[in-house]
Amino acid sequence: MVSGNIFHCRKNSWPPQEYISKSTLQLFDYDSSAPPEQAWRRRLNSHANLLKEFRVTFMEAIKMVRLGIRIWSYVREEASHGRKAPIDPFTRESCKPSASQGVPLGGMGSGSISRGFRGEFRQWQIIPSLCEASPVMANQFSIFISREGGNKNFASVLAPGQHEGLGSSRKPDDQGISSWGWNLSGQHSTYHALFPRAWTVYDGEPDPELKISCRQISPFVPHNYRESSLPAAVFVYTLVNTGKERAKVSLLFTWANSIGGSSHLSGDHVNEPFKAEDGVSGVLLYHKTAKGNPPVTFAIAACETQNVNVSVLPSFGLSEGSSTTAKGMWSKMVKDGQFDQENFNSGPSMPSSPGETLCAAVAASMWVEPHGKCTVAFSLAWSSPKVKFVKGSTFNRRYTKFYGTSEKAAADLAHDALTHYNRWEEEIEKWQNPILKDETLPEWYKFTLFNELYFLVAGGTIWIDSPLLSSNMRNDQDRVRELENTVVKETEDKMSDRKRTVVERIMDSTCDSAVITGHDPADEKLSGDDDADVGRFLYLEGVEYIMWCTYDVHFYASFALLELFPKIELNIQRDFARAVLCEDGRKVKFLAEGNWGIRKVYGAVPHDLGTHDPWHEMNAYNIHDTSKWKDLNPKFVLQVYRDFATTGDLEFGVDVWPAVRAAMEYMEQFDRDGDGLIENDGFPDQTYDTWTVHGVSTYCGCLWLAALQAAAAMALDLGDREFAEKCKRKFLKAKPAFEEKLWNGTYFNYDSGSSGNSKSIQADQLAGQWYTASSGLPPLFEDSKIKSALRKVYDFNVMKVKGGRMGAVNGMHPNGKVDETCMQSREVWTGVTYGLAATMILAGMEEEAFATAEGIFLAGWSEDGYG
């Protein structure tokens, strides 16, 4: 916890009044239509910074020539089988993160669509592992305004006209979207992001006398395992008429039958209108995907009220041959402000022809009185019930548990989004307000804390309904159960005497945890009994590294899941626990050295859950043989113990304990001199997979010490006293050896070798202490040593790089120069910097912690940073 108001003198990063006039903010000061005081902000006329890509040096390239040749060969081989290699540095992806991004849409694991801060819909991730980055520019909100008297009329797309996705050539006779009114400059319009919501405020654009707020809401609701799986989003428009005349306003939502890229041109797509009895109306867009992928259905809808009239145009095209063109549709809206009501009776459209783009539109029309206000809500939903992986496995997504697998489920999703979004917002605000209103925290931290969660939606996440295992997995599971029974049998007698006290203590800690986190276990009732089994969850390491649940980086990312969706986090750990006790003897070529090994070794924690057949074919990563890595097994033990201690879930502890023991016992082979410590093997055998380590390393060694302590504590909780004593003895032997070999009086050396960087200052040297303190275990070292090492990292890795405005560089020489041994030693890693800052807070170094973390904010999120 942050003690004291140490930031009370700090100026707010981006006060809203610098972006929106105070009078406009006051007009929206009701019904959540005003943007929050804390948010990431951009003007709509600002242009995204060109991203500065990281480059390898000439010497680094020379060192990696052989690896590059092997990767190139592997990429080509995978392509010949119609597969994408999990790591492909040769194909320039259009999907790399860009500074044009905004808050993504929808819940978790059902396919995602992102939105740029200027309003475009982009970054399509509906099909597993496939990301289409380019915006589909037909997908827009537009506004049409006419005032009594007829001398003031406005018609414009609610996105800036000078847009990267629109192109510069506009032909006068064009029947497509360039014929629309792209009249918004964006100079007086602003975007405000606070995940999972975003606000766009049009402060007198395009009509100087009409103030417009669009609030984007997605169902990301912590501890709600039903709503948070839904592929839907709502856009609530609040209109304030500051003029003296009534204004007739029509809002238009247009959508192309597309899942990004050129998919709209493949043909056989169909649109169909729908209308519910309670006034929710819209259009279903049935999309037939290519390459045998499961179909996708979109729904766009609006809610009719006493003052709002909803009409639809089920289909229009972008070319001259269409029965209704985009230009004709726009002209109709300019003239009438609505579509014909008989369109609801038109039925399904004719299937589109190859090369033809099929679009749909929903319009909501209303009168806004002088100095009056009006609200209208639109929804977007997409239903892709089946997840199909490249090598054949198919699963139902989590949301199908509640909505079924019918292609028409999209209409129900869109309907329920419009009727339930108020409840979503209540829960979101209940979750966020304690942090947003905490005046001891700097403003940048408050909104960055929430905005960094975007990856749980936009990280290619997949959330499946069924925990059922295939026949192969069942066989593996039988083996797991045999091993579990063996271990449990050994400890059964010991546990019987103390099981009741263990359960009581865990129940007590659960109550304490509820108080600490501000989450009342009773709140779980919000989602009913449907969260008893929450299914299985996957997320990508990144859009360039298409591997599911990469474990060495889950080490840094998993705190968010544990805090917000603990049942998902426990199930991910269960997946890895099963994997530890499995072996896959299929041969794999490791590309760094060109040697061969087997895909998965018994007792070793896998690097990832796979790419093309997750859970069945793990370790998609094949640069190094990760069964020889020294950080994965300790990270598994540390995460499992942290999760066990935090949740107090005894059943989880018993489930994963055989894997914890196996993981610890597997590591004993790497203690080659009997000092209780594991040694590295002279290659990059840990998450820094280009940074070679010799002998004992501060990173892996510290993780190992922490894992010994965590395993001992967990063994005691589960009644396995013999193993607890074994781990304790090993810890007491290993700790002094670690300090003797690495402590230099100020910090822990990078490793115990004699290379030119052995005495480097590694930012991540106390990663094990971070987990130890986070889990409530005793510190690994004396307080003075912990603070001394952290102070050294702060003074050198943080403050000597751009004056502390970039985070912590991974490696720094004691002479104050960046360690350029390899590209990773000179990189700044977001997760490592946040973990370092957390370690500082836990050590009582709060000011240094927030200064360190602010560097990541400045480098990654601010307008002066790297985009």
Side-chain angles (χ1 to χ4, degrees), residues 478-667:
D478 290 341
R479 184 181 176 190
V480 170
R481 287 301 175 198
E482 287 175 16
L483 287 156
E484 283 181 352
N485 290 338
T486 301
V487 175
V488 171
K489 180 66 177 162
E490 290 175 2
T491 62
E492 236 174 23
D493 295 336
K494 299 172 185 175
M495 286 187 68
S496 61
D497 293 335
R498 61 192 299 269
K499 188 170 184 180
R500 179 175 173 79
T501 58
V502 170
V503 173
E504 287 171 351
R505 181 159 55 81
I506 288 174
M507 290 301 290
D508 290 342
S509 69
T510 304
C511 296
D512 292 342
S513 174
V515 173
I516 291 168
T517 62
H519 168 63
D520 183 348
D523 289 345
E524 301 282 0
K525 294 177 182 177
L526 178 69
S527 54
D529 296 327
D530 297 316
D531 60 1
D533 171 27
V534 300
R536 303 171 87 179
F537 191 83
L538 298 169
Y539 69 105
L540 292 174
E541 177 174 338
V543 291
E544 299 105 331
Y545 301 106
I546 51 173
M547 295 168 282
W548 300 112
C549 296
T550 302
Y551 201 73
D552 51 326
V553 292
H554 187 66
F555 178 78
Y556 299 92
S558 56
F559 283 87
L561 280 173
L562 178 62
E563 176 73 15
L564 305 177
F565 298 96
K567 292 182 181 180
I568 290 177
E569 165 62 11
L570 296 188
N571 277 4
I572 290 175
Q573 300 299 354
R574 284 186 171 102
D575 281 335
F576 277 92
R578 280 191 287 267
V580 168
L581 301 174
C582 295
E583 183 157 307
D584 185 341
R586 286 174 286 184
K587 294 290 184 181
V588 173
K589 184 177 183 179
F590 299 112
L591 304 179
E593 301 296 334
N595 58 312
W596 289 80
I598 67 171
R599 178 171 292 279
K600 169 67 181 67
V601 176
Y602 175 86
V605 174
H607 172 275
D608 55 80
L609 292 177
T611 291
H612 300 306
D613 197 9
W615 300 297
H616 301 119
E617 187 179 272
M618 292 170 282
N619 280 332
Y621 176 93
N622 61 348
I623 304 297
H624 298 288
D625 181 355
T626 59
S627 70
K628 297 178 181 176
W629 277 18
K630 311 307 184 293
D631 63 334
L632 290 172
N633 282 38
K635 284 176 175 176
F636 170 70
V637 175
L638 289 171
Q639 289 181 72
V640 163
Y641 179 73
R642 177 207 56 192
D643 296 352
F644 174 64
T646 301
T647 63
D649 191 326
L650 184 61
E651 183 181 358
F652 167 74
V654 172
D655 284 348
V656 300
W657 179 241
V660 171
R661 278 195 61 158
M664 292 298 291
E665 289 164 351
Y666 180 86
M667 295 302 292

Side-chain angles (χ1 to χ4, degrees), residues 72-85 88 91 612:
W72 180 75
S73 176
Y74 172 66
V75 168
R76 290 192 62 187
E77 180 186 353
E78 287 294 284
S80 70
H81 296 291
R83 299 190 296 263
K84 188 175 180 180
D88 179 5
T91 303
H612 300 306

Side-chain angles (χ1 to χ4, degrees), residues 285-362:
L285 299 90
Y286 305 105
H287 185 86
K288 185 177 180 180
T289 57
K291 299 181 181 179
N293 285 304
V296 182
T297 306
F298 292 97
I300 55 173
C303 190
E304 195 163 276
T305 64
Q306 188 174 359
N307 188 40
V308 177
N309 177 62
V310 176
S311 58
V312 301
L313 182 63
S315 63
F316 68 90
L318 304 183
S319 57
E320 194 170 348
S322 306
S323 57
T324 302
T325 64
K327 185 176 183 179
M329 182 277 299
W330 189 266
S331 299
K332 171 74 171 173
M333 286 299 298
V334 170
K335 179 172 178 275
D336 299 333
Q338 60 187 14
F339 301 114
D340 299 332
Q341 285 296 314
E342 53 262 31
N343 288 347
F344 282 113
N345 303 320
S346 61
S349 67
M350 292 293 293
S352 62
S353 302
E356 176 189 8
T357 303
L358 188 63
C359 304
V362 174

Side-chain angles (χ1 to χ4, degrees), residues 104 107-109 111-112 114 123 125 129 131 453-462 537-543 545-549:
M108 301 188 297
S112 71
S114 289
Q123 210 89 355
Q125 297 184 83
S129 305
C131 178
L453 294 170
Y454 79 95
F455 202 73
L456 290 175
V457 171
T461 56
I462 291 176
F537 191 83
L538 298 169
Y539 69 105
L540 292 174
E541 177 174 338
V543 291
Y545 301 106
I546 51 173
M547 295 168 282
W548 300 112
C549 296

Side-chain angles (χ1 to χ4, degrees), residues 13 62 70 98 132 178 310-311 337 372 425 434 445 501 521 568 590 662 667 686 694 728 739 753 762 836:
S13 305
I62 292 296
R70 293 188 192 107
S98 73
E132 296 285 359
S178 65
V310 176
S311 58
E425 287 200 285
Y445 170 81
T501 58
I568 290 177
F590 299 112
M667 295 302 292
Q686 25 76 45
H694 299 277
K728 185 177 178 181
E739 292 182 319
Q762 185 175 9
L836 169 63

Side-chain angles (χ1 to χ4, degrees), residues 26-68:
Q26 289 173 341
L27 290 173
F28 289 127
D29 192 20
Y30 80 105
D31 193 28
S32 301
S33 56
E37 291 185 17
Q38 298 89 7
W40 181 91
R41 310 186 201 280
R42 286 289 188 275
R43 296 192 190 280
L44 265 60
N45 67 340
S46 65
H47 288 274
N49 296 340
L50 290 174
L51 296 182
K52 300 175 183 179
E53 293 191 46
F54 192 91
R55 308 246 179 218
V56 297
T57 66
F58 176 75
M59 289 306 298
E60 288 166 353
I62 292 296
K63 290 178 183 177
M64 293 192 292
V65 165
R66 291 181 180 176
L67 171 61

